[in-house]
Amino acid sequence: MAGGKLSARQKMINLMYLVFIAMMAMNMSKEVLSAFGLMEAKFASANIATTDRNETLLADLEQKSEEKPEEFMIPASKAKEVSIASEKFYNYIETLKSDLLKNGEYVIDPETGKLPFEAMDKTDILDEAWFTGDRFTKKGDEVMANINSYKSEIRTILGEDIKYSKALKSFEELFSTEKESNKDGKKIEWLNYHFQGFPAIASYTKLTAMQNDVKVTEAGMMNLFLGNVLTDAVSLNKYQAIVLSDKSAFFAGEKFQGRVVIGKYAKVPPTGLSIGGQSIDLTEAIDSTGAARLDFNVGGVGEHEIDGKFTFLEDGKPLEIPIKGNYVVVPRPNSATISADKMNVVYRGVVNPMTISFAGVPDNKVSASGAGLKKGSGIGKYTMVPTSGREVAINVTATLDDGSKVSDKAIFRIKDIPKPSGQIAGQIGTAKLPRNNVEIGRIEAVLEDFDFDLPLTVTGFKIKVEGKPSVTCSGNRLNGAAKSALRSAKRGSQVQIFEIKSRSNGPAIKPASPLVIELTN
């Protein structure tokens, strides 16, 4: 406009137009800056008012938690956590605003208390502090980390409770940091979209608006906690039927006995819990419903009592609620019951070990009787020494928890001790031995494949060498006559040892089966 082949007058007129347009642009820019400043002042004023209301709501919740801890303690605790997290993030944003004023050398008017809105037109303050090329500076990363930390804290406080789902969704939308589309339709980072290239007053106002979002969030949470508690306290929809059985195990044929009550789980954090005099760690015992989960080793078979107490804080004083209950322990099914119908056998004259029990009944309430049966040491342990007859009956009686008695019995066959086998030098039945080994050897009687420890002592036997009359020996070794006959035997001839007699420390023993020995020299 001011160039070309124009007269000096026209050039002056054109120059004046340029100056005029520039002045109009400058005036409009100052108006926009002032508008941002006025908006910031409104947000700041709203933040002060909301802070006061939030403090009142929190104090109200804390008061109610003292008056009715079973209904208000947990919501008040959550509200306190929200308040702490929000205040921390609010104060962090305040440091960002202070840094912006300091780096721009902006000073609040001491008389009006206002910012120099029209002078806050610099765009490079946050650009240099938060951004470098297409990445964030260390400070920019710090800003995003604090925003995400605040969001994470609120998520954790609200948890997965369904009644907080809508509030959590609104919170996520309010503090969304997803990428935004710029005027060219290109996706850019949230921080760049909202703060890069803006005048200082615009960024300052946005930070104050973010503080307002924090205060509004805090207020919403306070009302949410208070409103949900009131609904829970008066609505029967929040209650449920709870079955309380008189004991936790019943025998087949017994009648179920118990109670059904209408109640709800108290989501009030207790201050103490003990079972059987042992203190329970509350951090691990209390679940999300407010119920306490018990985890301890049960006692022996039979009925046991649970005795303990819950301790709560009410009106500033400890309130103890007794815990009373019982449970029944039945034997763990760790083995199958397998029996051969024809193998219920006991042996005459020896100590037969037995285990006798009644499923689900403790040992001290079980009694057993039978000929030769005695109670041993240990749970369910007995011994039996049958003497006469071919059968013995064992009768068992158990006393149940209600005082009634049940009985059962089993029949066992009585068998004699089996016939032992003759043995010399560890060989049974037939053997090949040098003449000298037979002469100095010891004759033994052994019970093969017999499950009882029943040692036998040989008391006498007869020996027959080919071509010689039989010789009777006492004890378990050859006498002089037997040795003389043995020495006259030829190599390869057979020597028979028979009518081997023995005794035990209990029953009479049949003569052992004979030995046939072939001489090897």
Side-chain angles (χ1 to χ4, degrees):
M1 288 178 61
K5 296 180 180 179
L6 300 174
S7 64
R9 181 176 177 277
Q10 187 61 46
K11 289 181 179 180
M12 181 61 70
I13 291 172
N14 290 348
L15 182 59
M16 290 176 64
Y17 273 116
L18 284 174
V19 173
F20 178 70
I21 292 171
M23 290 178 66
M24 289 182 63
M26 289 176 64
N27 288 336
M28 184 174 292
S29 176
K30 288 182 178 181
E31 290 175 358
V32 172
L33 296 176
S34 295
F36 272 114
L38 292 174
M39 189 182 301
E40 193 280 332
K42 288 184 178 296
F43 277 128
S45 177
N47 290 346
I48 294 173
T50 308
T51 298
D52 292 339
R53 288 195 297 272
N54 290 347
E55 290 177 354
T56 301
L57 286 172
L58 180 59
D60 187 31
L61 271 170
E62 290 178 338
Q63 178 64 32
K64 290 182 182 298
S65 73
E66 294 178 0
E67 296 172 353
K68 298 181 179 180
E70 69 280 3
E71 297 175 6
F72 290 92
M73 183 170 286
I74 287 180
S77 176
K78 287 183 177 292
K80 184 65 176 178
E81 291 178 28
V82 168
S83 177
I84 293 172
S86 297
E87 183 178 6
K88 182 175 68 174
F89 185 50
Y90 185 98
N91 292 337
Y92 174 73
I93 298 174
E94 191 65 30
T95 65
L96 298 180
K97 291 165 62 177
S98 297
D99 290 343
L100 191 152
L101 294 180
K102 180 180 178 181
N103 294 335
E105 298 181 351
Y106 302 124
V107 180
I108 298 175
D109 190 326
E111 294 183 2
T112 63
K114 294 182 178 180
L115 291 168
F117 307 140
E118 297 178 359
M120 297 176 68
D121 57 353
K122 295 180 182 179
T123 61
D124 58 349
I125 299 175
L126 294 187
D127 288 0
E128 293 177 357
W130 293 4
F131 310 102
T132 174
D134 58 351
R135 295 180 293 107
F136 297 154
T137 63
K138 185 177 180 180
K139 187 66 177 181
D141 286 333
E142 177 192 293
V143 173
M144 292 304 300
N146 275 270
I147 295 174
N148 291 327
S149 176
Y150 176 60
K151 291 167 65 176
S152 177
E153 287 185 69
I154 297 299
R155 288 193 205 103
T156 301
I157 294 168
L158 295 184
E160 298 180 358
D161 197 323
I162 189 65
K163 64 176 174 286
Y164 299 141
S165 59
K166 289 185 178 180
L168 185 57
K169 182 180 178 181
S170 298
F171 171 76
E172 294 284 5
E173 292 174 353
L174 186 61
F175 285 92
S176 173
T177 54
E178 296 293 325
K179 288 185 177 182
E180 304 270 10
S181 297
N182 62 11
K183 61 182 179 180
D184 298 325
K186 180 182 178 182
K187 289 283 187 179
I188 63 174
E189 297 293 338
W190 178 88
L191 197 64
N192 298 75
Y193 182 83
H194 285 276
F195 291 97
Q196 190 173 27
F198 285 91
I201 185 59
S203 296
Y204 192 92
T205 301
K206 286 186 178 182
L207 291 173
T208 305
M210 188 181 293
Q211 287 179 314
N212 184 254
D213 291 339
V214 173
K215 290 299 178 182
V216 170
T217 294
E218 188 179 354
M221 297 296 175
M222 299 293 178
N223 285 292
L224 175 68
F225 297 139
L226 184 61
N228 277 324
V229 165
L230 292 177
T231 301
D232 285 348
V234 300
S235 175
L236 281 177
N237 290 332
K238 303 299 179 181
Y239 288 76
Q240 56 187 300
I242 301 174
V243 178
L244 304 174
S245 61
D246 287 353
K247 60 181 181 179
S248 58
F250 294 89
F251 293 106
E254 278 190 289
K255 290 183 178 180
F256 177 88
Q257 294 180 321
R259 295 166 291 160
V260 179
V261 298
I262 299 296
K264 64 178 182 177
Y265 294 106
K267 296 183 180 180
V268 182
T271 59
L273 169 63
S274 64
I275 298 295
Q278 297 295 318
S279 180
I280 305 297
D281 186 354
L282 293 176
T283 59
E284 297 181 359
I286 305 299
D287 64 19
S288 59
T289 68
R293 305 197 63 83
L294 302 181
D295 184 3
F296 58 88
N297 293 327
V298 299
V301 174
E303 186 174 1
H304 302 268
E305 291 186 353
I306 297 176
D307 184 20
K309 63 181 179 180
F310 253 131
T311 303
F312 294 88
L313 190 64
E314 184 172 272
D315 296 330
K317 300 178 181 178
L319 171 66
E320 292 185 354
I321 299 178
I323 299 172
K324 294 290 183 182
N326 64 355
Y327 64 94
V328 177
V329 178
V330 297
R332 181 187 294 274
N334 57 3
S335 61
T337 300
I338 303 172
S339 62
D341 293 341
K342 299 296 185 180
M343 295 302 292
N344 281 356
V345 172
V346 290
Y347 288 94
R348 193 186 317 275
V350 297
V351 178
N352 295 263
M354 310 189 82
T355 300
I356 301 174
S357 64
F358 225 107
V361 181
D363 185 60
N364 61 356
K365 293 185 179 180
V366 176
S367 62
S369 62
L373 185 69
K374 291 183 179 180
K375 184 77 172 71
S377 59
I379 297 176
K381 299 302 180 182
Y382 291 79
T383 60
M384 169 173 274
V385 183
T387 55
S388 61
R390 307 307 301 174
E391 289 183 343
V392 61
I394 298 178
N395 298 287
V396 184
T397 301
T399 303
L400 303 183
D401 294 333
D402 59 3
S404 62
K405 296 182 182 294
V406 291
S407 300
D408 197 3
K409 75 173 183 177
I411 303 296
F412 285 79
R413 291 182 295 138
I414 301 175
K415 295 183 69 174
D416 292 328
I417 302 299
K419 183 177 182 178
S421 299
Q423 176 178 276
I424 184 171
Q427 299 185 54
I428 295 174
T430 60
K432 291 184 179 182
L433 292 171
R435 190 188 313 270
N436 186 59
N437 287 27
V438 178
E439 185 176 330
I440 65 174
R442 185 174 60 185
I443 309 302
E444 296 176 304
V446 294
L447 294 167
E448 295 185 272
D449 300 323
F450 191 60
D451 294 330
F452 296 87
D453 183 17
L454 185 65
L456 303 178
T457 301
V458 172
T459 59
F461 59 91
K462 290 183 179 181
I463 181 171
K464 175 72 170 66
V465 179
E466 288 183 13
K468 300 289 182 179
S470 61
V471 178
T472 301
C473 300
S474 297
N476 59 2
R477 295 183 185 275
L478 275 64
N479 57 21
K483 290 179 181 179
S484 178
L486 181 65
R487 292 182 186 129
S488 66
K490 296 180 180 179
R491 177 183 177 184
S493 61
Q494 291 186 339
V495 176
Q496 297 181 31
I497 298 176
F498 57 100
E499 290 188 21
I500 304 171
K501 299 178 181 180
S502 62
R503 68 170 185 271
S504 71
N505 56 5
I509 304 299
K510 297 176 181 179
S513 57
L515 280 165
V516 178
I517 305 168
E518 181 182 338
L519 298 178
T520 60
N521 62 0

